[in-house]
Structure formats: structure tokens, C-alpha cells
Amino acid sequence: MRKPWIVGVLLAGVLLGACGDPTSGPETAPASATAPSAPKTRAPKKGAPKTRAPKKAPVVLYLGDSLAMENQKVLGQQLRDDLGARYTSAPYSGTTLCDYLEGTGDRSLVPPRDKAAALVRELRPDFVVLQFWGNAWGYTPCMDGITYGKAEGRYFSRYADDAERLTEQIADAGGARRPAIVWVLQGPDPITPDRVRRVNALYKKQADASDDLVADAGRAVSPASARYAWAQYLPCTTYERENSAYCTQSDRGRAALHRDDDYLHFCLAPTTSKPKPCPVRSPGILRMAREISRTVGEHAG
């Protein structure tokens, strides 16, 4: 009875490793963190919703794992187009919350210069967007071998503690200009659906406790009638129908969210040994980026 779950976990580990070479670091050079990308003025894309730009362009920092790695360029463009945002990203594939904590030393896949608190002190962002699937396979050493499959209770307890610690470090680094933290809720997991549900609940609880925000990007890649039911394809949105590159099976009126060989990631290009932003138009990535941008826009000054 447990064989499908075990096979799925093994597959997940392979996929995570393929997208999660920790030696490659972020896509952009670390020095780029000192110069957030400037706002650009562009004509609205066909079918894009009209968004009222905030009076002051928000400064946004985006951190996360392989999902953030593949999303980072699309999210940056969306934030610039919608809000005129100044944007910096520093995702590392294969990571989880503890990797971005200061004080983890050699047990972390994130170098000291790219820890969350270090980047907050340097960039003074208005928003820190955190997107983590919830590393459940022991890929990163800072989890001390605690995995969902072997120690479910310890996994969630440790994850909650790390969420609280990361919030505290970001808040302390921000000082009087504490940034708002945006916890990105994750999409369905076909192998361990309850894990993602509980991880999202943990994010919501932490956001409520610290008066922060959640962006339910996972809902944008879930069936309308079943938030935690995994789907490889969903009906095309109005935007996707009007921008045919995103309505990948236009004859059937549906968009592909995942490749046949990767149920976890949303990039429709094959995974590579060196992590990089997704190089092809991918409906799932755009759906999530638009929801994150919408959440930031609702709370930007």
C-alpha cells in the first residue's frame, strides 16, 4: 500500500536534485543585490487586468527554493509592469526556511551575504516575498535530517520554529522600516497532499501572528472546485485565451501547468543540472506571479 508514496518521494528527490544544485547560487550575481532593477514603463499586455500603481514604487525582495528560482524573472517583470516596483531576487534551489536564517553557517545552502536579514539590511525592502515548497526530503543539511516521511511531527514543529525565527530576523534587520513579509501559499502535491495543506496553514498562522501577508498563489494553479486537488492541466483563463502562447492546448481550451515528467515544478522546459529561471512561457508560473503581484499591490503605499 505504501509503494506509490515511496516511489513518488524518490521521484520528488530526483526532481529536486535536478533543479537544486546548491553550488550554483542565485541566477544573478550577488553584487546585483546592491542595485535593484529600476522601474520600467510599459504598455499593458493584452488581456491584463488594470492595476492602479501605488504612489511610491515598492521595493520587493524575493527569496525561495527551486520554485522561486524558476519564477524569479516572470515575477520581477510582473511587479515592474503592475507596480513599477524595484525588485531583487536571491533564490537558491533545494533550500528551505532554515537556509535563510543567519547563524546556520556551513549547514546552509545559502551564503551569508544572501541571508534574508543581510539582504534586508542592505536593500531596505518594503516587502519580502517568501516562496518555499517546504523541503520534506532532507535535501538541505540545516534541517538536521528531519523529514516529513520519517518524523512528521518533528518536521512541522521544526518548520514552525524556523518560520518564527525567520520572521524575527527579518523584522530585526528592518528596524524602524520593518518590511512586510508575504508568505506564498503553495499549490497541490499529488503525493503528500496533507503536507502542503498543513504547510500553508503554518504560513497563515505565522502571518497572522506577526501581522504579515499571504499570497495564495497555489489557488491559481488548483482546480476552482478543489483547492488541494493536483492537476496537470486547467481550463485556460481569459488572459491565456487572449495570449495564445499560454493557452498551450487551445483546441481543448486548457493550459499545461506541469510537464509529463515533473509534477512539482511549473516550468514547461526540462530541468537542468544548473538551476536557472524558466526560459519558456509557462502558464503556472505566470498565474502565480500575477497573484503575488496582486497581493503586493493591494498593500503597497
Side-chain angles (χ1 to χ4, degrees):
M1 292 296 292
R2 293 177 57 85
K3 186 176 180 180
W5 185 88
I6 294 171
V7 171
V9 170
L10 290 174
L11 174 61
V14 171
L15 293 173
L16 186 63
C19 277
D21 176 8
T23 63
S24 65
E27 179 67 15
T28 54
S32 68
T34 62
S37 48
K40 297 180 181 179
T41 302
R42 293 172 177 256
K45 294 180 181 179
K46 184 179 179 183
K50 295 181 180 179
T51 303
R52 181 180 61 82
K55 294 180 181 179
K56 174 182 174 292
V59 179
V60 181
L61 173 63
Y62 183 44
L63 308 176
D65 54 19
S66 60
L67 295 181
M69 175 64 75
E70 66 182 9
N71 293 353
Q72 60 181 311
K73 284 191 174 179
V74 175
L75 177 60
Q77 191 61 62
Q78 196 71 41
L79 288 165
R80 286 189 289 267
D81 287 349
D82 290 350
L83 309 174
R86 299 179 64 204
Y87 171 80
T88 301
S89 60
Y92 283 79
S93 294
T95 57
T96 193
L97 301 178
C98 58
D99 287 291
Y100 282 90
L101 288 170
E102 290 189 319
T104 48
D106 294 339
R107 295 167 48 250
S108 170
L109 302 181
V110 175
R113 66 177 181 273
D114 288 332
K115 298 294 190 180
L119 290 175
V120 168
R121 286 190 291 267
E122 181 178 359
L123 301 172
R124 314 306 295 176
D126 301 301
F127 297 89
V128 178
V129 179
L130 302 175
Q131 180 160 13
F132 292 91
W133 178 251
N135 186 304
W137 306 287
Y139 189 79
T140 175
C142 71
M143 282 296 287
D144 300 318
I146 300 171
T147 64
Y148 174 77
K150 293 182 179 180
E152 183 177 318
R154 291 181 64 202
Y155 167 80
F156 285 114
S157 177
R158 171 62 184 278
Y159 209 70
D161 288 345
D162 287 344
E164 183 176 1
R165 288 180 61 200
L166 189 58
T167 296
E168 291 172 351
Q169 289 192 2
I170 290 171
D172 290 345
R177 289 190 55 195
R178 181 204 190 279
I181 298 172
V182 182
W183 294 94
V184 179
L185 304 188
Q186 301 307 297
D189 179 347
I191 305 301
T192 57
D194 187 59
R195 184 195 64 82
V196 167
R197 185 183 290 108
R198 293 177 65 180
V199 164
N200 284 347
L202 185 152
Y203 290 158
K204 290 178 183 178
K205 183 177 180 180
Q206 180 58 53
D208 288 343
S210 54
D211 198 25
D212 283 309
L213 310 172
V214 295
D216 195 357
R219 183 176 295 279
V221 291
S222 305
S225 60
R227 171 62 176 82
Y228 287 100
W230 184 88
Q232 184 175 3
Y233 300 92
L234 287 179
C236 293
T237 64
T238 300
Y239 178 88
E240 289 161 356
R241 289 193 297 270
E242 293 177 352
N243 296 267
S244 57
Y246 291 101
C247 192
T248 54
Q249 294 186 348
S250 56
D251 57 327
R252 305 178 68 178
R254 65 182 194 173
L257 303 182
H258 304 276
R259 290 172 51 87
D260 292 341
D261 58 355
D262 188 344
Y263 73 84
L264 173 59
H265 298 95
F266 293 89
C267 183
L268 298 185
T271 57
T272 60
S273 60
K274 182 179 180 180
K276 61 183 180 180
C278 185
V280 300
R281 290 184 177 90
S282 299
I285 289 176
L286 183 61
R287 288 182 182 211
M288 289 188 291
R290 295 179 76 182
E291 179 59 26
I292 295 169
S293 181
R294 186 192 67 79
T295 300
V296 171
E298 283 186 349
H299 296 87

